Amino acid sequence: MLPTDVPSAHLGSSVLLLLQLLPPTSAFFPNIWSLLAAPGSITHQDLTEEAALNVTLQLFLEQPPPGRPPLHLEDFLGCTLLADDLFASYFGPGSPSRRFRAALGEVSRANAAQDFLPASRNDPDLHFDAERLGQGRTRLVGALRETLVAARALDHTLARQRLGAALHALQDFYSHSNWVELGQQQPHPHLLWPRQELGSLAQEGDPTCSDCEELSCPGNLLSFTLLTSGYFGTHPSKPLGKCSHGGRFDQSSSQPPRGGINKDSTAPGFSPHHMLHLQAAKLALLASIQAFSLLRSRLGDKGFSRLLDITPASSLSFVLDTTGSMGEEINAAKIQARHIVEQRRGSPVEPMHYVLVPFHDPGFGPVFTTSDPDSFWQQLNEIHALGGGDEPEMCLSALELALLHTPPLSDIFVFTDASPKDAFLTSRVAALTQERRCRVTFLVTEDPSRGHGRGRREVLSPLRFEPYEVVALASGGEVIFTKDQYVQDVAAVVGDSMADQVTLPLEPSVVVPERPLVFNVDGLLRRVSVRIHGEISSFWIRNPAGISQGPEEGQGSLGHTRRFGQFWMVSINDPPQTGTWEIQVTAEGNPRVRVQAQTSLDFLFHFGTPMEDGPHPGLYPLTQPVAGLQTQLLVEVTGLGPRGSPEDSLPHFSHIILRGVPEGAQLGQVPLEPRGARERGLLVASLPPTLLSTAGPFSLELIGQDGGGRDLHRASPQPCTVVPVLLELSGPQGFLAPGSKAPLTLRIASFSSPQDLNLRTSVNSSFSLTSNLSRVRLEQNESAWGRLWLEVPESATSNSVVMVTVTALGREASPVPPTHAFLRLLVLAPAPKDQLAAPAHSPGPVFTSVNPTLRPSPLVTWGRAGGGLAGNPWWGTVGGVLLLLGLASW
């Protein structure tokens, strides 16, 4: 049933679902542990994700799924709308929503970053402050335009970051201006359309507020019909008679007229107009739905789905050695890619993004990216093994290029028979895999009997492949050694790894002589497979009933075994028996064992550090924990169960086990605390100070029970690293012309111990990068700031991604692991005018009485935040848009 306050003129043929906001007593507030002063407040994250879910549901309603019955609006009325439920209804039961939820998390965290980055947190144009409403609209539209351009260039990570920035400004308009106080019941009709006037704006000499000495200021706006907004802080200074933003941290609110007009929260201490918080949030949600709908109309359904990863499928990324000895490997890659493309074409698991990077010596690239499987296959089919022979090759350079263009949470497969010539990139590429959260699998062919090609192989160091081991370990992948005659069979792991499989934790994590490896199988796992490779003498696998199976090929008592040289794969029969399984391996050297399974129950995780010194305290997001810095772990469980399941039947996770990498020793165990309703799957934990006292890698294991009390174990797909220092790199927002210099900001901070560090910088060839900071000495809890200048050449290639890297290295007297900061920049040629005028008739929203939901990590606060940490390397990419565009209007 529709609420009575929805005008009939706003109901269109294309239906948009709007989730009706809960009253202030509801659990709708993500940062409850650090924002206790304003319980029940609605955040930027809530607004962003609710809007995205509504437009995704609209897309599903209008585009029936192939081979499945269409969705019906009435099935979602009166229910809590969850991403897992949407995917199960559209793509089929068990379809993972992990990538979609991760993409929404990227947008939400980019939204939050506007309140933390030094380039944006105090800029009134980016928050509709200080009556800079026209300038704010220009910046808002510019960020949306940049979102479109980046999405069309297939740089969806950058597109999500710019989208988050745009949505932050859009939502701030309704909290920071007096639009709600003017009695408006709908979003501003011209805010997204730059060719339309905003209306009657208050001018410099127009008084707007009266003095208010109380925390709550319901009547401090003067009687007028002009549009205004409050001033915040001291820059720019507040003129006489103007309104302040307000709140305990706003310095301008102590100057007459005192008080303020922001509606950021439900707490008077933060928001003088707290009583209008829900009205402002309602309009901000409507406006956010309009923005998402606008992007959908401009990108099309496929482009919009790629922007938000609205698919259960992963991408397909290949890095191929093309030297003369690689004929068999290239054919294997072609066969496997063709199999994946043809098998999954037209299905929900068809890859939405394809990446191909060739390499040899001395060159690598260019990168080829497409969303068209036929174009990808044609490009792959044109690659042949030509020239070269002696190793090493430029493998890590090619892999770094692939990481720049591969979506997060993807698998990358490297085919080579050579060691890396660019081994100096090992640490940087390993860190980039964790920043991008991509898993890398190396398929390396060893064939000493080959009479041509790698003629010098026997004289090279046996440790020459160690860089691949380091990168694979950091990314959660593996290095598989095989021979030419087996590579086509072993390449089948490509297809298996793309099936959204989880890796099951082993105890111990590495093979120990005469000690079995133990893993747990629960009732939610299917297609369990065991991979064993190395100099294997024998092995056996035993299920909980005591039934064993050895290495013999063919069908056995537990499953089917295939062997290709020194590589075994055992596919366990479905359904696998639940309980504790064992694997015993007898081998020379360091054999590898990996157990994988298919399941929808998985988890995402993020890190954050509490910020309590700004107007809206919250958790500042971190790419990795920093030694000595208080850190929260935020876990988001996906695939908990179908909609409407009884709460006591849902899986329950109680704690996280932290293990050292690679030895697997337990470093600690921390309890998990739920946030919100259980079906949301949001959990938090405080990392122990002992873990954060020194730098080093560790892994996460999520421990719990299913609805029947049976054990559940899930492992993070890749390890994490406690880095020794906080290294932050951020860039300017807006447009940069060819031939100009872009200023970048660098901050480095130590929280655990004194540091003596060298700083190194790098950037793509043809770009010039200079810095005023090459060495820094820090005491504990001390920071240093630096400035870099990136020179954009006149010949910058359109649609190319530029990556700036800063590395902090310990000097000889102070050896510490390196810390890396990455800043992604997109170069684009001036674009023709994009005539994005307002549609002739824009469908309005349909209201339903359903509960709003909280999904991705709670890292977002509503409104402004100042002080504290700024410019985290991950967040720095939000401000680092390098767009060479004209200022054409929509």
Side-chain angles (χ1 to χ4, degrees):
M1 184 176 68
L2 302 179
T4 57
D5 62 341
V6 181
S8 60
H10 286 274
L11 303 180
S13 58
S14 296
V15 178
L16 281 177
L17 261 180
L18 173 66
L19 301 181
Q20 186 172 340
L21 302 174
L22 289 177
T25 55
S26 66
F28 202 78
F29 191 62
N31 285 339
I32 192 169
W33 54 86
S34 55
L35 293 175
L36 296 177
S41 297
I42 298 169
T43 70
H44 282 294
Q45 176 182 345
D46 300 323
L47 298 169
T48 298
E49 291 162 7
E50 296 300 345
L53 282 172
N54 276 279
V55 178
T56 300
L57 177 55
Q58 184 196 12
L59 186 154
F60 286 172
L61 291 169
E62 296 176 356
Q63 300 292 335
R68 289 183 53 79
L71 273 63
H72 300 287
L73 176 62
E74 54 268 23
D75 293 336
F76 296 90
L77 298 178
C79 302
T80 298
L81 190 62
L82 299 168
D84 286 348
D85 292 338
L86 279 180
F87 268 55
S89 299
Y90 191 78
F91 296 112
S95 297
S97 65
R98 186 169 181 262
R99 288 182 177 83
F100 173 57
R101 292 169 70 168
L104 291 188
E106 284 188 77
V107 177
S108 295
R109 291 189 297 275
N111 189 325
Q114 294 299 97
D115 280 338
F116 295 112
L117 286 172
S120 60
R121 60 183 178 180
N122 294 320
D123 188 341
D125 294 358
L126 301 179
H127 304 274
F128 282 98
D129 288 335
E131 294 189 320
R132 297 183 64 83
L133 302 175
Q135 297 91 328
R137 199 260 297 270
T138 298
R139 299 289 285 275
L140 163 62
V141 171
L144 285 173
R145 188 184 304 118
E146 293 163 12
T147 302
L148 279 176
V149 173
R152 289 168 178 166
L154 300 182
D155 192 333
H156 297 110
T157 294
L158 189 55
R160 292 166 195 158
Q161 292 162 0
R162 299 310 299 143
L163 175 56
L167 291 172
H168 186 101
L170 178 65
Q171 294 157 7
D172 270 357
F173 172 83
Y174 297 96
S175 177
H176 296 182
S177 77
N178 65 331
W179 182 256
V180 172
E181 287 86 345
L182 290 175
Q184 301 293 340
Q185 299 295 316
Q186 296 296 328
H188 196 298
H190 302 151
L191 201 57
L192 297 177
W193 316 115
R195 297 180 183 179
Q196 306 292 328
E197 294 294 331
L198 282 178
S200 300
L201 306 181
Q203 301 302 308
E204 183 176 355
D206 296 328
T208 56
C209 265
S210 60
D211 190 60
C212 173
E213 59 181 354
E214 305 295 333
L215 292 178
S216 183
C217 300
N220 62 333
L221 276 165
L222 300 179
S223 298
F224 60 90
T225 58
L226 302 176
L227 193 60
T228 185
S229 66
Y231 284 74
F232 181 88
T234 58
H235 302 287
S237 59
K238 182 177 72 173
L240 187 65
K242 292 295 185 180
C243 297
S244 288
H245 175 89
R248 56 188 292 192
F249 293 100
D250 178 14
Q251 297 181 43
S252 77
S253 64
S254 62
Q255 305 167 10
R258 292 168 296 177
I261 63 171
N262 91 73
K263 297 160 284 293
D264 289 346
S265 72
T266 60
F270 288 99
S271 303
H273 281 202
H274 59 95
M275 71 294 297
L276 299 175
H277 172 69
L278 287 181
Q279 291 93 316
K282 173 182 174 181
L283 296 187
L285 180 52
L286 282 166
S288 300
I289 291 176
Q290 289 180 347
F292 276 110
S293 299
L294 171 66
L295 292 174
R296 180 189 169 199
S297 70
R298 309 320 290 173
L299 293 171
D301 287 345
K302 285 188 176 180
F304 183 76
S305 295
R306 286 192 293 269
L307 172 64
L308 295 184
D309 239 344
I310 307 176
T311 173
S314 62
S315 66
L316 181 60
S317 293
F318 282 163
V319 179
L320 286 179
D321 186 344
T322 60
T323 46
S325 59
M326 283 291 294
E328 292 292 337
E329 292 86 343
I330 293 174
N331 287 335
K334 290 179 180 179
I335 291 171
Q336 192 61 28
R338 185 73 174 183
H339 174 72
I340 293 172
V341 169
E342 294 301 329
Q343 185 184 50
R344 305 186 181 194
R345 186 190 295 269
S347 73
V349 293
E350 178 181 354
M352 295 187 69
H353 195 78
Y354 301 85
V355 178
L356 178 63
V357 183
F359 70 93
H360 49 86
D361 181 23
F364 61 93
V367 62
F368 176 78
T369 63
T370 183
S371 58
D372 178 33
D374 293 323
S375 297
F376 173 74
W377 171 246
Q378 180 180 356
Q379 186 71 22
L380 182 61
N381 207 37
E382 291 176 358
I383 291 181
H384 302 281
L386 298 172
D390 291 348
E391 63 177 306
E393 309 289 355
M394 301 294 287
C395 180
L396 295 184
S397 297
L399 176 56
E400 185 176 52
L401 189 60
L403 282 163
L404 278 176
H405 293 84
T406 299
L409 303 176
S410 295
D411 281 288
I412 300 176
F413 299 93
V414 181
F415 290 79
T416 186
D417 63 354
S419 57
K421 186 175 185 178
D422 43 9
F424 64 91
L425 294 176
T426 301
S427 173
R428 191 167 90 192
V429 172
L432 187 59
T433 65
Q434 294 187 336
E435 193 262 352
R436 301 289 292 160
R437 299 203 174 184
C438 287
R439 182 172 57 185
V440 181
T441 299
F442 293 87
L443 290 171
V444 183
T445 50
E446 284 275 26
D447 191 357
S449 66
R450 182 158 39 204
H452 63 279
R454 307 296 190 189
R456 296 188 302 168
R457 180 182 302 277
E458 291 79 10
V459 301
L460 295 177
S461 168
L463 299 178
R464 63 193 183 278
F465 294 107
E466 184 63 23
Y468 298 161
E469 302 281 4
V470 172
V471 172
L473 179 66
S475 71
E478 58 186 325
V479 180
I480 300 174
F481 291 94
T482 184
K483 298 179 185 290
D484 279 355
Q485 62 265 40
Y486 304 123
V487 67
Q488 290 191 15
D489 296 309
V490 175
V493 301
V494 175
D496 291 333
S497 296
M498 288 190 60
D500 271 296
Q501 294 190 334
V502 298
T503 299
L504 303 185
L506 297 171
E507 172 60 36
S509 59
V510 295
V511 174
V512 177
E514 300 182 0
R515 179 180 174 186
L517 302 173
V518 176
F519 65 96
N520 185 72
V521 172
D522 59 69
L524 301 175
L525 299 176
R526 293 293 182 270
R527 294 186 62 194
V528 177
S529 64
V530 179
R531 298 209 299 257
I532 305 173
H533 54 97
E535 298 180 40
I536 310 298
S537 300
S538 65
F539 70 85
W540 52 256
I541 303 172
R542 180 180 297 150
N543 75 358
I547 300 173
S548 299
Q549 178 171 322
E552 296 78 16
E553 291 188 79
Q555 184 63 43
S557 54
L558 300 179
H560 187 268
T561 301
R562 292 175 289 168
R563 177 185 179 183
F564 313 110
Q566 291 297 303
F567 179 91
W568 281 262
M569 178 180 288
V570 183
S571 301
I572 305 298
N573 298 330
D574 271 337
Q577 185 176 16
T578 59
T580 301
W581 289 59
E582 295 182 344
I583 305 172
Q584 179 74 61
V585 178
T586 303
E588 298 291 331
N590 298 307
R592 317 296 174 85
V593 179
R594 174 171 291 227
V595 181
Q596 291 185 296
Q598 192 167 11
T599 180
S600 60
L601 183 67
D602 202 355
F603 70 99
L604 301 164
F605 65 93
H606 310 280
F607 300 102
T609 186
M611 292 185 63
E612 300 176 354
D613 58 348
H616 301 284
L619 282 179
Y620 179 73
L622 300 170
T623 304
Q624 299 285 1
V626 180
L629 184 63
Q630 182 185 356
T631 301
Q632 296 275 347
L633 169 68
L634 301 105
V635 173
E636 183 188 355
V637 182
T638 64
L640 278 173
R643 181 176 62 198
S645 300
E647 185 168 320
D648 57 5
S649 70
L650 296 176
H652 167 73
F653 291 96
S654 57
H655 61 279
I656 285 277
I657 292 178
L658 310 168
R659 295 190 183 277
V661 173
E663 72 282 354
Q666 183 168 325
L667 302 177
Q669 177 175 307
V670 293
L672 288 165
E673 299 180 7
R675 287 292 182 266
R678 281 183 63 180
E679 67 268 16
R680 297 171 180 172
L682 187 65
L683 308 165
V684 298
S686 296
L687 294 185
T690 52
L691 175 70
L692 301 173
S693 60
T694 57
F698 65 96
S699 64
L700 302 173
E701 291 182 17
L702 190 62
I703 308 298
Q705 295 181 328
D706 63 16
R710 294 172 290 270
D711 289 343
L712 290 174
H713 292 236
R714 291 294 184 269
S716 58
Q718 61 184 190
C720 315
T721 301
V722 178
V723 294
V725 295
L726 179 68
L727 193 60
E728 302 174 319
L729 182 62
S730 60
Q733 301 201 19
F735 301 100
L736 294 174
S740 64
K741 283 189 176 182
L744 312 178
T745 301
L746 175 67
R747 183 198 175 200
I748 182 168
S750 176
F751 301 96
S752 60
S753 61
Q755 302 285 353
D756 187 4
L757 304 168
N758 284 331
L759 300 178
R760 298 177 182 173
T761 61
S762 65
V763 71
N764 303 42
S765 60
S766 79
F767 285 75
S768 175
L769 186 65
T770 57
S771 173
N772 67 353
L773 192 64
S774 60
R775 179 183 177 183
V776 62
R777 294 181 178 179
L778 297 172
E779 297 298 323
Q780 185 176 356
N781 295 322
E782 187 177 21
S783 298
W785 294 82
R787 177 73 76 175
L788 294 81
W789 290 268
L790 175 66
E791 187 170 352
V792 186
E794 295 283 357
S795 59
T797 303
S798 180
N799 295 345
S800 62
V801 178
V802 180
M803 185 174 70
V804 178
T805 304
V806 176
T807 301
L809 293 163
R811 296 172 60 83
E812 293 183 4
S814 176
V816 294
T819 303
H820 304 273
F822 303 100
L823 178 62
R824 291 163 56 88
L825 305 153
L826 179 64
V827 180
L828 292 168
K833 288 192 175 183
D834 190 4
Q835 306 294 337
L836 286 178
H841 40 103
S842 178
V846 171
F847 290 78
T848 64
S849 297
V850 297
N851 293 333
T853 57
L854 175 63
R855 282 148 304 275
S857 60
L859 303 177
V860 181
T861 56
W862 168 270
R864 300 291 306 280
L869 301 174
N872 175 273
W874 193 93
W875 296 119
T877 60
V878 179
V881 142
L882 178 56
L883 293 171
L884 312 183
L885 297 171
L887 293 176
S889 65
W890 287 105

